[in-house]
Amino acid sequence: MAYAYLIWFLLCQFLVFVSEIQAKLPAVIVFGDSSVDAGNNNFIPTVARSNFQPYGRDFNGGRATGRFSNGKIATDFISEALGVKPTIPAYLDPAYNISDFATGVTFASAATGYDNATSNAVIPMWKELEYYKDYQKLLRAYLGETKANEIISEALHVISAGTNDFLENYYAMPAGPGSRRTQFTITGYQDFLADIAQNFVKSLYNLGARKISLGGLPPMGCMPLERTTNLMGQHECVERYNNVASQFNGKLSGLVLKLNKELPGIKLVFSNPYFAFVQIIRRPALYGFDVTEVACCATGMFEMGYACARDSMFSCTNADKYVFWDAFHPTQKTNRIIADHVVKSALAKFL
C-alpha cells in the first residue's frame, strides 16, 4: 500500500514538473534570416527560395517547405527539445492559422539582415516586427487578452540574423558612394548592427516579450562558398570572416549583459553556435561527418537556392555525411547538433 502511494506521489510530482515546463514555454516565436526561415519567402516575390527539390528531401514526407536544408532547421529542433512542438511553421504560409501559431511561429525571411540595406529583396527585420504585432492581435482575438498576454510573456523569442549583413552586403558590395564599406570600418559596421540588434530586443520587450534568445554568428568563413573563393588560401576557411563573426559575437554577448541589467524582468540569453560549429569542422569524424569543405547539393562549392537543381548528378546521396547542405546552409544533422548545443548551453535556463 505504501509502495503504491509512493508511485502515485512520484507520478503527481512528475506531472506537476511537466506542466510547469509547459507553462514556462508555451510557444517559440522566431525572427531572422534563412537559418530560421521555414518558408515565408515562398509567399513574397524573391529568388531567395528553397521550396523545391532537393531541399526538404529528408523532411517529413520529403517536402520542400522553404527551409534551406535537406530537412529540419535549428529552431525546429530547439522547439522539439523544449517540449513545445516538432516544427515551427512560417507565418505567411496559408496552410496554417492562429491555432497553429499560438504554440510557435517564425517570421524569418531568407537573405534578410539587421541592416535594411541587406534586405531590399526580402522581408526586413522591421517588417518581421510588424507581422509580430499583427500576430499578437490575432492571438488576443483567438485566446482573449489575458491568455494571449501570458503566452507572449512566457514564450521563448528567438533571434538569428547577421551573417547576410557581412557576407551579402558589407563584403559583397563594391566600395563606392552609399556602400556600407565606404560609410563604416568593419568595427564601425559591427557597432551599427549591434545597435540595431539592441533596438530589436527592446522592441520585443516593449511588446511584452520577456524570454529572448539573441543568436550569435557561426564561423562564416568556413561556409563552402567562402572556401571555394579562397583561392590564395588553398580553399581553407577564411579566417578574416571568422574573426569578424567572433568579434561581433563578443559585442552581442556584452549587449546581453547590458540589457539584462537595464530592462526589468527580462531574461535575455546569448545563444552562441560559433565554437560548436568550429569543433564540428575541425573534428568532423567525432560527429560522423566525412565532408566539411564542400556541401551536399550539386557540386557543393557555390550552389544554393535555384542553383541546387533537382536533377544534379553531383548531389550527394547521404546528407548525414556532410556538414553543409548547400554552399551557405547546414544539413539537418548539423542543425540538430547545433540546436542541442544551444539548448544545453543557453536555453536550458528557461526550463
Side-chain angles (χ1 to χ4, degrees):
M1 188 72 176
Y3 178 76
Y5 176 79
L6 177 63
I7 295 296
W8 176 82
F9 175 77
L10 291 175
L11 178 61
C12 287
Q13 292 297 104
F14 174 74
L15 291 174
V16 168
F17 174 71
V18 170
S19 67
E20 283 179 353
I21 287 179
Q22 291 173 336
K24 284 182 179 178
L25 290 174
V28 177
I29 301 171
V30 184
F31 307 85
D33 56 22
S34 58
S35 61
V36 290
D37 182 2
N40 284 310
N41 277 19
N42 301 350
F43 307 99
I44 64 171
T46 179
V47 296
R49 290 185 183 180
S50 59
N51 57 334
F52 43 83
Q53 292 292 329
Y55 287 94
R57 73 183 194 188
D58 298 312
F59 194 76
N60 304 335
R63 291 184 297 119
T65 59
R67 289 167 170 83
F68 277 79
S69 186
N70 59 306
K72 291 183 178 182
I73 52 179
T75 35
D76 294 322
F77 289 119
I78 287 170
S79 174
E80 189 173 38
L82 296 177
V84 181
K85 60 184 181 181
T87 58
I88 299 179
Y91 184 65
L92 297 184
D93 191 338
Y96 301 94
N97 57 42
I98 191 59
S99 65
D100 304 296
F101 300 147
T103 52
V105 60
T106 177
F107 304 98
S109 175
T112 201
Y114 287 116
D115 186 353
N116 286 338
T118 305
S119 318
N120 289 330
V122 292
I123 304 168
M125 295 290 280
W126 66 264
K127 182 64 175 176
E128 292 185 26
L129 269 180
E130 292 301 310
Y131 283 138
Y132 179 52
K133 293 174 186 176
D134 293 340
Y135 161 79
Q136 289 195 349
K137 292 176 185 175
L138 292 172
L139 193 66
R140 290 185 174 106
Y142 176 63
L143 295 174
E145 189 85 13
T146 302
K147 183 63 177 175
N149 288 344
E150 180 185 324
I151 287 178
I152 291 163
S153 66
E154 296 295 338
L156 174 63
H157 294 69
V158 177
I159 307 165
S160 177
T163 303
N164 293 318
D165 292 306
F166 294 105
L167 296 185
E168 302 300 315
N169 183 354
Y170 189 87
Y171 287 115
M173 299 298 157
S179 75
R180 293 308 193 198
R181 266 200 283 180
T182 301
Q183 291 177 283
F184 298 102
T185 63
I186 187 59
T187 302
Y189 191 57
Q190 290 172 336
D191 291 337
F192 172 73
L193 296 179
D195 282 343
I196 297 172
Q198 174 175 251
N199 290 334
F200 195 90
V201 170
K202 287 182 175 180
S203 293
L204 288 179
Y205 178 84
N206 290 335
L207 289 167
R210 290 297 179 268
K211 298 177 180 179
I212 304 172
S213 164
L214 182 60
L217 300 189
M220 57 192 184
C222 292
M223 292 174 176
L225 179 63
E226 307 312 323
R227 296 182 71 159
T228 297
T229 54
N230 187 20
L231 302 177
M232 299 298 290
Q234 299 181 315
H235 304 296
E236 292 296 322
C237 296
V238 182
E239 289 307 319
R240 176 175 59 139
Y241 291 165
N242 284 354
N243 290 338
V244 167
S246 184
Q247 290 160 7
F248 185 61
N249 286 347
K251 292 178 186 293
L252 294 183
S253 180
L255 178 63
V256 166
L257 293 174
K258 173 175 173 283
L259 292 180
N260 273 320
K261 293 175 182 176
E262 290 182 3
L263 302 176
I266 197 172
K267 292 181 181 178
L268 177 63
V269 298
F270 178 54
S271 295
N272 188 1
Y274 186 93
F275 297 106
F277 228 124
V278 166
Q279 178 77 353
I280 291 170
I281 291 165
R282 286 180 179 169
R283 307 184 72 183
L286 284 178
Y287 304 90
F289 293 113
D290 292 338
V291 185
T292 62
E293 66 275 9
V294 296
C296 171
C297 173
T299 67
M301 294 188 290
F302 60 89
E303 297 93 344
M304 69 180 104
Y306 286 110
C308 281
R310 173 204 296 263
D311 54 356
S312 174
M313 67 177 67
F314 299 107
S315 292
C316 77
T317 55
N318 182 5
D320 283 352
K321 294 297 181 181
Y322 286 70
V323 174
F324 290 94
W325 165 248
D326 66 18
F328 215 79
H329 304 97
T331 56
Q332 173 176 254
K333 181 177 175 180
T334 306
N335 282 329
R336 181 192 291 274
I337 295 168
I338 297 300
D340 182 60
H341 167 76
V342 166
V343 168
K344 290 177 179 175
S345 63
L347 304 181
K349 72 175 294 180
F350 294 122
L351 293 179

